[in-house]
Amino acid sequence: MAVDPVPWAIHGAKHSADVARQNTYDSTGGAEGVSSPKALQVRATQTPSGQVRVAPGGALMLSPFDAGQTYNFRNASETLVDVPASSSLAASTWYINAWINDPNKPGGTEPASVPFGPYAFLTCDAAPKGNFPHYTPAKIVVPKNEAVVRQADIEDLRELAQPRSKPVNRSRPLNIVDAETLTMTDPAGERFPNAGGGQDIPIPEWATRAIIETEWLMVNERPGNAYGAIWVEFGPLSPGGDTREYSTQRFRWNTQAGTDSSRGVWKVSDDVYIPADLRGTSQVFSMRGYLTYTSAGSARPQMDQHSGIAFKVTFLEEADRSTT
């Protein structure tokens, strides 16, 4: 195949569409998907109807005709798409397709206007439009004998084309002055340890999820038996208390019921949703724990100068599937 005589970009030269699409492919690493967490999100209308709403935003679509080429799709504003009713016999399955009609490729047809198109479309079809450059943001199953689409009928299929991530590591050892015993028996818990167990962390404005990984390192599990729970809370303080509005799953810990002390590692790891109102703000992430049972006061676990914490939060940019 011959070298394209006009590369991207030469001032005053006439550039081919193939070179432009090759540039898009190269500059995005061959990625395919939506451009932002809310882009092309498909939702039911506020009053369920025979239409769905497709949010504004863009998508990258790999060319099915030419290797190493990518089409750009842009939905400039919220768009309503009609969804056919199901029959009285069975449910109907539909796909919302963002697709491009390129008249220079197989199956393409001339638009109403060569300079103005339209070349790009949002439609509801019985299958993904695999014979065109396309992206399918949602699947819809309309129940039998229904003419309206409810939110529960919509399956979000979107993935970010170029998702970002940002790890934040706040790990640290404890010193002798940081020694602390876990004493709280209320399920609301207490920050444990106080030294380093609460971290003020900026949340990127693009983050929709976070992987929270914390470890209580070399906890002094003293003679006797005790057990309880640990977790990480984050976000604003809840009204009337020192707990925070959002939390990881609670994980159990249980010390050895022996006559000698031992050292243990407790872990929390969870993938959590970052609500929209927290994005772009700085929030406290707090390691917490409480006692369900202790055989004696002296059996309560302790963090001391031989202990430490591993505190890591990795923020992720993913398709935001929240409908609020």
PDB file of all heavy atoms in Angstrom, residues 37-76:
ATOM      1  N   PRO A  37     -17.651   9.879  32.174  1.00  0.00           N
ATOM      2  CA  PRO A  37     -18.488   8.947  32.941  1.00  0.00           C
ATOM      3  C   PRO A  37     -19.986   9.013  32.646  1.00  0.00           C
ATOM      4  O   PRO A  37     -20.681   8.012  32.781  1.00  0.00           O
ATOM      5  CB  PRO A  37     -18.191   9.331  34.392  1.00  0.00           C
ATOM      6  CG  PRO A  37     -16.791   9.826  34.359  1.00  0.00           C
ATOM      7  CD  PRO A  37     -16.692  10.588  33.065  1.00  0.00           C
ATOM      8  N   LYS A  38     -20.496  10.173  32.264  1.00  0.00           N
ATOM      9  CA  LYS A  38     -21.929  10.307  31.990  1.00  0.00           C
ATOM     10  C   LYS A  38     -22.260  10.310  30.496  1.00  0.00           C
ATOM     11  O   LYS A  38     -23.432  10.319  30.113  1.00  0.00           O
ATOM     12  CB  LYS A  38     -22.462  11.591  32.627  1.00  0.00           C
ATOM     13  CG  LYS A  38     -22.660  11.511  34.147  1.00  0.00           C
ATOM     14  CD  LYS A  38     -23.785  10.565  34.524  1.00  0.00           C
ATOM     15  CE  LYS A  38     -24.120  10.630  36.001  1.00  0.00           C
ATOM     16  NZ  LYS A  38     -25.190   9.657  36.372  1.00  0.00           N
ATOM     17  N   ALA A  39     -21.250  10.307  29.633  1.00  0.00           N
ATOM     18  CA  ALA A  39     -21.489  10.418  28.200  1.00  0.00           C
ATOM     19  C   ALA A  39     -22.345   9.266  27.679  1.00  0.00           C
ATOM     20  O   ALA A  39     -22.094   8.103  27.989  1.00  0.00           O
ATOM     21  CB  ALA A  39     -20.159  10.455  27.449  1.00  0.00           C
ATOM     22  N   LEU A  40     -23.370   9.613  26.903  1.00  0.00           N
ATOM     23  CA  LEU A  40     -24.277   8.664  26.244  1.00  0.00           C
ATOM     24  C   LEU A  40     -24.998   7.738  27.229  1.00  0.00           C
ATOM     25  O   LEU A  40     -25.455   6.656  26.840  1.00  0.00           O
ATOM     26  CB  LEU A  40     -23.540   7.827  25.194  1.00  0.00           C
ATOM     27  CG  LEU A  40     -22.809   8.592  24.083  1.00  0.00           C
ATOM     28  CD1 LEU A  40     -22.287   7.628  23.024  1.00  0.00           C
ATOM     29  CD2 LEU A  40     -23.684   9.657  23.444  1.00  0.00           C
ATOM     30  N   GLN A  41     -25.124   8.159  28.478  1.00  0.00           N
ATOM     31  CA  GLN A  41     -25.900   7.349  29.419  1.00  0.00           C
ATOM     32  C   GLN A  41     -27.369   7.321  28.998  1.00  0.00           C
ATOM     33  O   GLN A  41     -27.954   8.356  28.675  1.00  0.00           O
ATOM     34  CB  GLN A  41     -25.790   7.897  30.835  1.00  0.00           C
ATOM     35  CG  GLN A  41     -26.500   7.009  31.865  1.00  0.00           C
ATOM     36  CD  GLN A  41     -26.436   7.572  33.264  1.00  0.00           C
ATOM     37  OE1 GLN A  41     -26.317   8.776  33.453  1.00  0.00           O
ATOM     38  NE2 GLN A  41     -26.515   6.708  34.257  1.00  0.00           N
ATOM     39  N   VAL A  42     -27.945   6.132  28.990  1.00  0.00           N
ATOM     40  CA  VAL A  42     -29.337   5.954  28.578  1.00  0.00           C
ATOM     41  C   VAL A  42     -30.198   5.789  29.823  1.00  0.00           C
ATOM     42  O   VAL A  42     -29.940   4.908  30.651  1.00  0.00           O
ATOM     43  CB  VAL A  42     -29.492   4.734  27.650  1.00  0.00           C
ATOM     44  CG1 VAL A  42     -30.955   4.533  27.256  1.00  0.00           C
ATOM     45  CG2 VAL A  42     -28.616   4.900  26.403  1.00  0.00           C
ATOM     46  N   ARG A  43     -31.200   6.655  29.941  1.00  0.00           N
ATOM     47  CA  ARG A  43     -32.102   6.613  31.094  1.00  0.00           C
ATOM     48  C   ARG A  43     -33.554   6.674  30.636  1.00  0.00           C
ATOM     49  O   ARG A  43     -33.853   7.172  29.549  1.00  0.00           O
ATOM     50  CB  ARG A  43     -31.818   7.783  32.038  1.00  0.00           C
ATOM     51  CG  ARG A  43     -30.445   7.755  32.694  1.00  0.00           C
ATOM     52  CD  ARG A  43     -30.247   8.969  33.575  1.00  0.00           C
ATOM     53  NE  ARG A  43     -30.231  10.195  32.782  1.00  0.00           N
ATOM     54  CZ  ARG A  43     -30.380  11.420  33.292  1.00  0.00           C
ATOM     55  NH1 ARG A  43     -30.600  11.581  34.584  1.00  0.00           N
ATOM     56  NH2 ARG A  43     -30.335  12.483  32.511  1.00  0.00           N
ATOM     57  N   ALA A  44     -34.422   6.193  31.503  1.00  0.00           N
ATOM     58  CA  ALA A  44     -35.853   6.331  31.230  1.00  0.00           C
ATOM     59  C   ALA A  44     -36.245   7.802  31.327  1.00  0.00           C
ATOM     60  O   ALA A  44     -35.569   8.605  31.984  1.00  0.00           O
ATOM     61  CB  ALA A  44     -36.648   5.504  32.238  1.00  0.00           C
ATOM     62  N   THR A  45     -37.315   8.171  30.653  1.00  0.00           N
ATOM     63  CA  THR A  45     -37.833   9.526  30.807  1.00  0.00           C
ATOM     64  C   THR A  45     -38.370   9.695  32.220  1.00  0.00           C
ATOM     65  O   THR A  45     -38.676   8.721  32.917  1.00  0.00           O
ATOM     66  CB  THR A  45     -38.930   9.808  29.770  1.00  0.00           C
ATOM     67  OG1 THR A  45     -39.919   8.763  29.854  1.00  0.00           O
ATOM     68  CG2 THR A  45     -38.358   9.838  28.362  1.00  0.00           C
ATOM     69  N   GLN A  46     -38.491  10.938  32.669  1.00  0.00           N
ATOM     70  CA  GLN A  46     -38.905  11.191  34.062  1.00  0.00           C
ATOM     71  C   GLN A  46     -40.248  10.546  34.368  1.00  0.00           C
ATOM     72  O   GLN A  46     -40.449   9.989  35.446  1.00  0.00           O
ATOM     73  CB  GLN A  46     -38.933  12.690  34.320  1.00  0.00           C
ATOM     74  CG  GLN A  46     -37.537  13.302  34.327  1.00  0.00           C
ATOM     75  CD  GLN A  46     -37.558  14.784  34.640  1.00  0.00           C
ATOM     76  OE1 GLN A  46     -38.570  15.472  34.480  1.00  0.00           O
ATOM     77  NE2 GLN A  46     -36.427  15.299  35.087  1.00  0.00           N
ATOM     78  N   THR A  47     -41.174  10.625  33.443  1.00  0.00           N
ATOM     79  CA  THR A  47     -42.385   9.817  33.494  1.00  0.00           C
ATOM     80  C   THR A  47     -42.204   8.730  32.450  1.00  0.00           C
ATOM     81  O   THR A  47     -42.100   9.034  31.256  1.00  0.00           O
ATOM     82  CB  THR A  47     -43.638  10.651  33.168  1.00  0.00           C
ATOM     83  OG1 THR A  47     -43.767  11.696  34.133  1.00  0.00           O
ATOM     84  CG2 THR A  47     -44.875   9.771  33.196  1.00  0.00           C
ATOM     85  N   PRO A  48     -42.097   7.450  32.866  1.00  0.00           N
ATOM     86  CA  PRO A  48     -41.801   6.388  31.895  1.00  0.00           C
ATOM     87  C   PRO A  48     -42.715   6.443  30.681  1.00  0.00           C
ATOM     88  O   PRO A  48     -43.929   6.637  30.787  1.00  0.00           O
ATOM     89  CB  PRO A  48     -42.023   5.116  32.719  1.00  0.00           C
ATOM     90  CG  PRO A  48     -41.692   5.521  34.112  1.00  0.00           C
ATOM     91  CD  PRO A  48     -42.211   6.932  34.246  1.00  0.00           C
ATOM     92  N   SER A  49     -42.078   6.280  29.509  1.00  0.00           N
ATOM     93  CA  SER A  49     -42.804   6.406  28.251  1.00  0.00           C
ATOM     94  C   SER A  49     -42.192   5.443  27.234  1.00  0.00           C
ATOM     95  O   SER A  49     -41.370   4.597  27.584  1.00  0.00           O
ATOM     96  CB  SER A  49     -42.702   7.848  27.739  1.00  0.00           C
ATOM     97  OG  SER A  49     -41.356   8.144  27.384  1.00  0.00           O
ATOM     98  N   GLY A  50     -42.580   5.609  25.997  1.00  0.00           N
ATOM     99  CA  GLY A  50     -42.028   4.795  24.920  1.00  0.00           C
ATOM    100  C   GLY A  50     -40.750   5.376  24.345  1.00  0.00           C
ATOM    101  O   GLY A  50     -40.352   5.022  23.233  1.00  0.00           O
ATOM    102  N   GLN A  51     -40.098   6.257  25.092  1.00  0.00           N
ATOM    103  CA  GLN A  51     -38.827   6.837  24.695  1.00  0.00           C
ATOM    104  C   GLN A  51     -37.808   6.707  25.825  1.00  0.00           C
ATOM    105  O   GLN A  51     -38.179   6.515  26.984  1.00  0.00           O
ATOM    106  CB  GLN A  51     -38.989   8.323  24.344  1.00  0.00           C
ATOM    107  CG  GLN A  51     -39.856   8.608  23.129  1.00  0.00           C
ATOM    108  CD  GLN A  51     -39.949  10.096  22.858  1.00  0.00           C
ATOM    109  OE1 GLN A  51     -40.226  10.891  23.756  1.00  0.00           O
ATOM    110  NE2 GLN A  51     -39.713  10.480  21.597  1.00  0.00           N
ATOM    111  N   VAL A  52     -36.541   6.827  25.477  1.00  0.00           N
ATOM    112  CA  VAL A  52     -35.472   6.913  26.471  1.00  0.00           C
ATOM    113  C   VAL A  52     -34.647   8.157  26.182  1.00  0.00           C
ATOM    114  O   VAL A  52     -34.643   8.681  25.063  1.00  0.00           O
ATOM    115  CB  VAL A  52     -34.563   5.667  26.469  1.00  0.00           C
ATOM    116  CG1 VAL A  52     -35.306   4.450  26.979  1.00  0.00           C
ATOM    117  CG2 VAL A  52     -33.953   5.420  25.092  1.00  0.00           C
ATOM    118  N   ARG A  53     -33.943   8.628  27.217  1.00  0.00           N
ATOM    119  CA  ARG A  53     -33.078   9.799  27.089  1.00  0.00           C
ATOM    120  C   ARG A  53     -31.629   9.348  26.950  1.00  0.00           C
ATOM    121  O   ARG A  53     -31.166   8.532  27.742  1.00  0.00           O
ATOM    122  CB  ARG A  53     -33.201  10.693  28.320  1.00  0.00           C
ATOM    123  CG  ARG A  53     -34.605  11.222  28.583  1.00  0.00           C
ATOM    124  CD  ARG A  53     -34.648  12.018  29.874  1.00  0.00           C
ATOM    125  NE  ARG A  53     -34.518  11.152  31.051  1.00  0.00           N
ATOM    126  CZ  ARG A  53     -34.228  11.586  32.278  1.00  0.00           C
ATOM    127  NH1 ARG A  53     -33.983  12.854  32.490  1.00  0.00           N
ATOM    128  NH2 ARG A  53     -34.170  10.747  33.286  1.00  0.00           N
ATOM    129  N   VAL A  54     -30.919   9.898  25.981  1.00  0.00           N
ATOM    130  CA  VAL A  54     -29.493   9.617  25.816  1.00  0.00           C
ATOM    131  C   VAL A  54     -28.730  10.894  26.157  1.00  0.00           C
ATOM    132  O   VAL A  54     -28.932  11.936  25.526  1.00  0.00           O
ATOM    133  CB  VAL A  54     -29.159   9.156  24.387  1.00  0.00           C
ATOM    134  CG1 VAL A  54     -27.671   8.806  24.284  1.00  0.00           C
ATOM    135  CG2 VAL A  54     -30.011   7.950  24.001  1.00  0.00           C
ATOM    136  N   ALA A  55     -27.861  10.814  27.150  1.00  0.00           N
ATOM    137  CA  ALA A  55     -27.150  11.986  27.632  1.00  0.00           C
ATOM    138  C   ALA A  55     -26.146  12.496  26.608  1.00  0.00           C
ATOM    139  O   ALA A  55     -25.646  11.742  25.775  1.00  0.00           O
ATOM    140  CB  ALA A  55     -26.436  11.651  28.938  1.00  0.00           C
ATOM    141  N   PRO A  56     -25.829  13.795  26.678  1.00  0.00           N
ATOM    142  CA  PRO A  56     -24.821  14.328  25.759  1.00  0.00           C
ATOM    143  C   PRO A  56     -23.441  13.745  26.065  1.00  0.00           C
ATOM    144  O   PRO A  56     -23.192  13.231  27.154  1.00  0.00           O
ATOM    145  CB  PRO A  56     -24.863  15.838  26.033  1.00  0.00           C
ATOM    146  CG  PRO A  56     -25.451  15.972  27.398  1.00  0.00           C
ATOM    147  CD  PRO A  56     -26.396  14.822  27.556  1.00  0.00           C
ATOM    148  N   GLY A  57     -22.568  13.841  25.075  1.00  0.00           N
ATOM    149  CA  GLY A  57     -21.212  13.341  25.244  1.00  0.00           C
ATOM    150  C   GLY A  57     -20.709  12.678  23.989  1.00  0.00           C
ATOM    151  O   GLY A  57     -21.416  12.605  22.975  1.00  0.00           O
ATOM    152  N   GLY A  58     -19.480  12.198  24.061  1.00  0.00           N
ATOM    153  CA  GLY A  58     -18.851  11.635  22.890  1.00  0.00           C
ATOM    154  C   GLY A  58     -18.483  10.179  23.048  1.00  0.00           C
ATOM    155  O   GLY A  58     -18.553   9.613  24.135  1.00  0.00           O
ATOM    156  N   ALA A  59     -18.074   9.581  21.929  1.00  0.00           N
ATOM    157  CA  ALA A  59     -17.611   8.199  21.923  1.00  0.00           C
ATOM    158  C   ALA A  59     -16.592   8.020  20.813  1.00  0.00           C
ATOM    159  O   ALA A  59     -16.624   8.723  19.792  1.00  0.00           O
ATOM    160  CB  ALA A  59     -18.778   7.228  21.721  1.00  0.00           C
ATOM    161  N   LEU A  60     -15.678   7.090  21.042  1.00  0.00           N
ATOM    162  CA  LEU A  60     -14.727   6.665  20.024  1.00  0.00           C
ATOM    163  C   LEU A  60     -15.200   5.330  19.467  1.00  0.00           C
ATOM    164  O   LEU A  60     -15.557   4.431  20.241  1.00  0.00           O
ATOM    165  CB  LEU A  60     -13.326   6.522  20.619  1.00  0.00           C
ATOM    166  CG  LEU A  60     -12.672   7.791  21.163  1.00  0.00           C
ATOM    167  CD1 LEU A  60     -11.351   7.444  21.843  1.00  0.00           C
ATOM    168  CD2 LEU A  60     -12.450   8.809  20.053  1.00  0.00           C
ATOM    169  N   MET A  61     -15.196   5.207  18.136  1.00  0.00           N
ATOM    170  CA  MET A  61     -15.668   3.990  17.473  1.00  0.00           C
ATOM    171  C   MET A  61     -14.588   3.490  16.528  1.00  0.00           C
ATOM    172  O   MET A  61     -14.170   4.228  15.617  1.00  0.00           O
ATOM    173  CB  MET A  61     -16.936   4.274  16.669  1.00  0.00           C
ATOM    174  CG  MET A  61     -18.068   4.902  17.442  1.00  0.00           C
ATOM    175  SD  MET A  61     -19.372   5.397  16.289  1.00  0.00           S
ATOM    176  CE  MET A  61     -20.595   6.023  17.446  1.00  0.00           C
ATOM    177  N   LEU A  62     -14.137   2.279  16.700  1.00  0.00           N
ATOM    178  CA  LEU A  62     -13.164   1.703  15.778  1.00  0.00           C
ATOM    179  C   LEU A  62     -13.829   1.420  14.431  1.00  0.00           C
ATOM    180  O   LEU A  62     -14.984   1.001  14.370  1.00  0.00           O
ATOM    181  CB  LEU A  62     -12.588   0.413  16.346  1.00  0.00           C
ATOM    182  CG  LEU A  62     -11.767   0.563  17.636  1.00  0.00           C
ATOM    183  CD1 LEU A  62     -11.292  -0.803  18.114  1.00  0.00           C
ATOM    184  CD2 LEU A  62     -10.586   1.490  17.417  1.00  0.00           C
ATOM    185  N   SER A  63     -13.093   1.674  13.374  1.00  0.00           N
ATOM    186  CA  SER A  63     -13.626   1.422  12.041  1.00  0.00           C
ATOM    187  C   SER A  63     -13.690  -0.078  11.773  1.00  0.00           C
ATOM    188  O   SER A  63     -12.707  -0.792  11.975  1.00  0.00           O
ATOM    189  CB  SER A  63     -12.734   2.078  10.985  1.00  0.00           C
ATOM    190  OG  SER A  63     -13.125   1.674   9.690  1.00  0.00           O
ATOM    191  N   PRO A  64     -14.847  -0.575  11.313  1.00  0.00           N
ATOM    192  CA  PRO A  64     -14.925  -1.989  10.935  1.00  0.00           C
ATOM    193  C   PRO A  64     -14.351  -2.248   9.539  1.00  0.00           C
ATOM    194  O   PRO A  64     -14.277  -3.391   9.103  1.00  0.00           O
ATOM    195  CB  PRO A  64     -16.429  -2.267  10.969  1.00  0.00           C
ATOM    196  CG  PRO A  64     -17.051  -0.964  10.617  1.00  0.00           C
ATOM    197  CD  PRO A  64     -16.155   0.101  11.193  1.00  0.00           C
ATOM    198  N   PHE A  65     -13.934  -1.180   8.862  1.00  0.00           N
ATOM    199  CA  PHE A  65     -13.470  -1.305   7.481  1.00  0.00           C
ATOM    200  C   PHE A  65     -11.947  -1.199   7.349  1.00  0.00           C
ATOM    201  O   PHE A  65     -11.352  -1.838   6.491  1.00  0.00           O
ATOM    202  CB  PHE A  65     -14.113  -0.214   6.612  1.00  0.00           C
ATOM    203  CG  PHE A  65     -15.588  -0.048   6.817  1.00  0.00           C
ATOM    204  CD1 PHE A  65     -16.100   1.097   7.408  1.00  0.00           C
ATOM    205  CD2 PHE A  65     -16.474  -1.050   6.434  1.00  0.00           C
ATOM    206  CE1 PHE A  65     -17.456   1.256   7.607  1.00  0.00           C
ATOM    207  CE2 PHE A  65     -17.841  -0.896   6.629  1.00  0.00           C
ATOM    208  CZ  PHE A  65     -18.338   0.255   7.226  1.00  0.00           C
ATOM    209  N   ASP A  66     -11.329  -0.361   8.184  1.00  0.00           N
ATOM    210  CA  ASP A  66      -9.904  -0.076   8.044  1.00  0.00           C
ATOM    211  C   ASP A  66      -9.205  -0.217   9.389  1.00  0.00           C
ATOM    212  O   ASP A  66      -9.547   0.486  10.353  1.00  0.00           O
ATOM    213  CB  ASP A  66      -9.701   1.350   7.523  1.00  0.00           C
ATOM    214  CG  ASP A  66     -10.425   1.596   6.206  1.00  0.00           C
ATOM    215  OD1 ASP A  66      -9.966   1.079   5.190  1.00  0.00           O
ATOM    216  OD2 ASP A  66     -11.463   2.298   6.237  1.00  0.00           O
ATOM    217  N   ALA A  67      -8.233  -1.110   9.457  1.00  0.00           N
ATOM    218  CA  ALA A  67      -7.474  -1.274  10.700  1.00  0.00           C
ATOM    219  C   ALA A  67      -6.734   0.011  11.022  1.00  0.00           C
ATOM    220  O   ALA A  67      -6.220   0.703  10.138  1.00  0.00           O
ATOM    221  CB  ALA A  67      -6.493  -2.436  10.551  1.00  0.00           C
ATOM    222  N   GLY A  68      -6.695   0.350  12.332  1.00  0.00           N
ATOM    223  CA  GLY A  68      -5.950   1.530  12.757  1.00  0.00           C
ATOM    224  C   GLY A  68      -6.639   2.844  12.480  1.00  0.00           C
ATOM    225  O   GLY A  68      -5.989   3.882  12.381  1.00  0.00           O
ATOM    226  N   GLN A  69      -7.990   2.821  12.377  1.00  0.00           N
ATOM    227  CA  GLN A  69      -8.731   4.057  12.185  1.00  0.00           C
ATOM    228  C   GLN A  69      -9.890   4.127  13.185  1.00  0.00           C
ATOM    229  O   GLN A  69     -10.513   3.108  13.495  1.00  0.00           O
ATOM    230  CB  GLN A  69      -9.267   4.174  10.754  1.00  0.00           C
ATOM    231  CG  GLN A  69      -8.182   4.320   9.706  1.00  0.00           C
ATOM    232  CD  GLN A  69      -8.736   4.663   8.336  1.00  0.00           C
ATOM    233  OE1 GLN A  69      -9.861   5.167   8.210  1.00  0.00           O
ATOM    234  NE2 GLN A  69      -7.951   4.405   7.301  1.00  0.00           N
ATOM    235  N   THR A  70     -10.156   5.337  13.659  1.00  0.00           N
ATOM    236  CA  THR A  70     -11.192   5.555  14.674  1.00  0.00           C
ATOM    237  C   THR A  70     -12.088   6.710  14.261  1.00  0.00           C
ATOM    238  O   THR A  70     -11.608   7.771  13.846  1.00  0.00           O
ATOM    239  CB  THR A  70     -10.556   5.873  16.045  1.00  0.00           C
ATOM    240  OG1 THR A  70      -9.724   4.781  16.442  1.00  0.00           O
ATOM    241  CG2 THR A  70     -11.626   6.105  17.101  1.00  0.00           C
ATOM    242  N   TYR A  71     -13.398   6.515  14.387  1.00  0.00           N
ATOM    243  CA  TYR A  71     -14.383   7.577  14.164  1.00  0.00           C
ATOM    244  C   TYR A  71     -14.712   8.251  15.506  1.00  0.00           C
ATOM    245  O   TYR A  71     -14.734   7.599  16.557  1.00  0.00           O
ATOM    246  CB  TYR A  71     -15.674   7.007  13.577  1.00  0.00           C
ATOM    247  CG  TYR A  71     -15.591   6.566  12.135  1.00  0.00           C
ATOM    248  CD1 TYR A  71     -15.053   5.331  11.793  1.00  0.00           C
ATOM    249  CD2 TYR A  71     -16.084   7.373  11.107  1.00  0.00           C
ATOM    250  CE1 TYR A  71     -14.993   4.906  10.471  1.00  0.00           C
ATOM    251  CE2 TYR A  71     -16.034   6.959   9.774  1.00  0.00           C
ATOM    252  CZ  TYR A  71     -15.486   5.718   9.467  1.00  0.00           C
ATOM    253  OH  TYR A  71     -15.441   5.312   8.162  1.00  0.00           O
ATOM    254  N   ASN A  72     -15.014   9.555  15.426  1.00  0.00           N
ATOM    255  CA  ASN A  72     -15.518  10.310  16.579  1.00  0.00           C
ATOM    256  C   ASN A  72     -17.030  10.480  16.450  1.00  0.00           C
ATOM    257  O   ASN A  72     -17.529  10.777  15.362  1.00  0.00           O
ATOM    258  CB  ASN A  72     -14.896  11.702  16.642  1.00  0.00           C
ATOM    259  CG  ASN A  72     -13.478  11.685  17.146  1.00  0.00           C
ATOM    260  OD1 ASN A  72     -12.547  11.733  16.348  1.00  0.00           O
ATOM    261  ND2 ASN A  72     -13.294  11.613  18.440  1.00  0.00           N
ATOM    262  N   PHE A  73     -17.726  10.296  17.576  1.00  0.00           N
ATOM    263  CA  PHE A  73     -19.180  10.519  17.602  1.00  0.00           C
ATOM    264  C   PHE A  73     -19.462  11.534  18.700  1.00  0.00           C
ATOM    265  O   PHE A  73     -18.888  11.456  19.795  1.00  0.00           O
ATOM    266  CB  PHE A  73     -19.909   9.210  17.899  1.00  0.00           C
ATOM    267  CG  PHE A  73     -21.417   9.334  17.949  1.00  0.00           C
ATOM    268  CD1 PHE A  73     -22.185   9.080  16.830  1.00  0.00           C
ATOM    269  CD2 PHE A  73     -22.060   9.702  19.127  1.00  0.00           C
ATOM    270  CE1 PHE A  73     -23.566   9.193  16.866  1.00  0.00           C
ATOM    271  CE2 PHE A  73     -23.440   9.825  19.182  1.00  0.00           C
ATOM    272  CZ  PHE A  73     -24.197   9.568  18.041  1.00  0.00           C
ATOM    273  N   ARG A  74     -20.363  12.478  18.420  1.00  0.00           N
ATOM    274  CA  ARG A  74     -20.720  13.493  19.421  1.00  0.00           C
ATOM    275  C   ARG A  74     -22.223  13.667  19.477  1.00  0.00           C
ATOM    276  O   ARG A  74     -22.873  13.921  18.447  1.00  0.00           O
ATOM    277  CB  ARG A  74     -20.059  14.830  19.094  1.00  0.00           C
ATOM    278  CG  ARG A  74     -20.463  15.969  20.047  1.00  0.00           C
ATOM    279  CD  ARG A  74     -19.685  17.241  19.760  1.00  0.00           C
ATOM    280  NE  ARG A  74     -20.087  18.314  20.659  1.00  0.00           N
ATOM    281  CZ  ARG A  74     -20.906  19.319  20.333  1.00  0.00           C
ATOM    282  NH1 ARG A  74     -21.409  19.389  19.097  1.00  0.00           N
ATOM    283  NH2 ARG A  74     -21.230  20.246  21.210  1.00  0.00           N
ATOM    284  N   ASN A  75     -22.774  13.526  20.680  1.00  0.00           N
ATOM    285  CA  ASN A  75     -24.176  13.852  20.938  1.00  0.00           C
ATOM    286  C   ASN A  75     -24.175  15.191  21.657  1.00  0.00           C
ATOM    287  O   ASN A  75     -23.742  15.285  22.810  1.00  0.00           O
ATOM    288  CB  ASN A  75     -24.825  12.771  21.802  1.00  0.00           C
ATOM    289  CG  ASN A  75     -26.314  12.993  22.001  1.00  0.00           C
ATOM    290  OD1 ASN A  75     -26.988  13.532  21.130  1.00  0.00           O
ATOM    291  ND2 ASN A  75     -26.825  12.576  23.147  1.00  0.00           N
ATOM    292  N   ALA A  76     -24.623  16.250  20.973  1.00  0.00           N
ATOM    293  CA  ALA A  76     -24.454  17.603  21.485  1.00  0.00           C
ATOM    294  C   ALA A  76     -25.363  17.927  22.671  1.00  0.00           C
ATOM    295  O   ALA A  76     -25.017  18.763  23.509  1.00  0.00           O
ATOM    296  CB  ALA A  76     -24.696  18.611  20.362  1.00  0.00           C
TER     297      ALA A  76
END
